[in-house]
Amino acid sequence: MRKRTEKYFMIEKLNHVAIVVPDLSKAKSIYEGALGAKVSDIKPLPEHGVSTIFVDLGSTKIELLHPLGDGSPISKFLEQNPNGSIHHLCFEVQSIKEAVKRLTEKGLRILGDGIPKIGAHGKLVVFLHPKDFLGTLIELEEI
Ligand code: CO
């Protein structure tokens, strides 16, 4: 791991790849059965409007997501990608505050009000505007 300095921030480990799927049970059987992965049970996260399955790959993980409840933040995405699709990548950072500061200084956009929120893993996260990052929604998570 490279050393963090006060001059810049950097993304570190790929924490997870999130994939929105139309059917979590089917997704579980594909990752478990066909791919032989270590897969969790379906876990509802009502406060985030999603149900998830975690695929544990040791050094990183895949999160399979499905909308939960009304106004889920991923409902529209599933409508636009009815067969499922990669939704975002999540990278770990040492300091979310530093990351937000450096990125906004460069004119790069943080989604929402730009204030870090507690994410699905109980850690501070922000999401970066996909139009500024080659069409990919990026989540930063403070470790
Ligand atoms: Co995520």
Side-chain angles (χ1 to χ4, degrees):
M1 195 192 296
R2 281 177 287 173
K3 205 175 144 209
R4 185 171 69 100
T5 74
E6 293 310 309
K7 292 232 174 358
Y8 64 92
F9 102 94
M10 57 183 282
I11 55 171
E12 297 186 15
K13 207 182 107 178
L14 176 67
N15 184 280
H16 61 270
V17 175
I19 303 174
V20 172
V21 300
D23 182 334
L24 277 178
S25 302
K26 208 181 242 177
K28 184 175 162 83
S29 72
I30 289 168
Y31 273 85
E32 210 166 37
L35 297 174
K38 207 159 90 184
V39 173
S40 77
D41 288 328
I42 297 174
K43 188 178 173 191
L45 298 173
E47 67 278 25
H48 292 286
V50 295
S51 290
T52 68
I53 287 177
F54 298 97
V55 180
D56 181 359
L57 299 174
S59 59
T60 190
K61 53 191 179 285
I62 295 174
E63 293 182 9
L64 304 167
L65 305 174
H66 189 79
L68 174 65
D70 294 332
S72 168
I74 57 169
S75 294
K76 202 173 160 204
F77 185 86
L78 185 57
E79 270 170 42
Q80 291 166 340
N81 301 275
N83 298 317
S85 186
I86 292 179
H87 184 261
H88 65 268
L89 304 180
C90 176
F91 298 108
E92 296 178 355
V93 297
Q94 297 282 338
S95 164
I96 281 275
K97 208 178 137 199
E98 184 71 8
V100 168
K101 183 168 169 266
R102 297 297 172 193
L103 290 166
T104 48
E105 274 171 8
K106 291 186 168 75
L108 298 164
R109 291 168 287 178
I110 313 294
L111 291 186
D113 57 14
I115 298 167
K117 304 280 186 315
I118 299 292
H121 312 123
K123 295 181 176 162
L124 282 176
V125 304
V126 289
F127 285 89
L128 311 182
H129 202 302
K131 284 189 179 155
D132 292 344
F133 293 91
L134 311 166
T136 303
L137 177 61
I138 291 179
E139 178 181 22
L140 300 178
E141 181 173 290
E142 187 167 273
I143 48 163

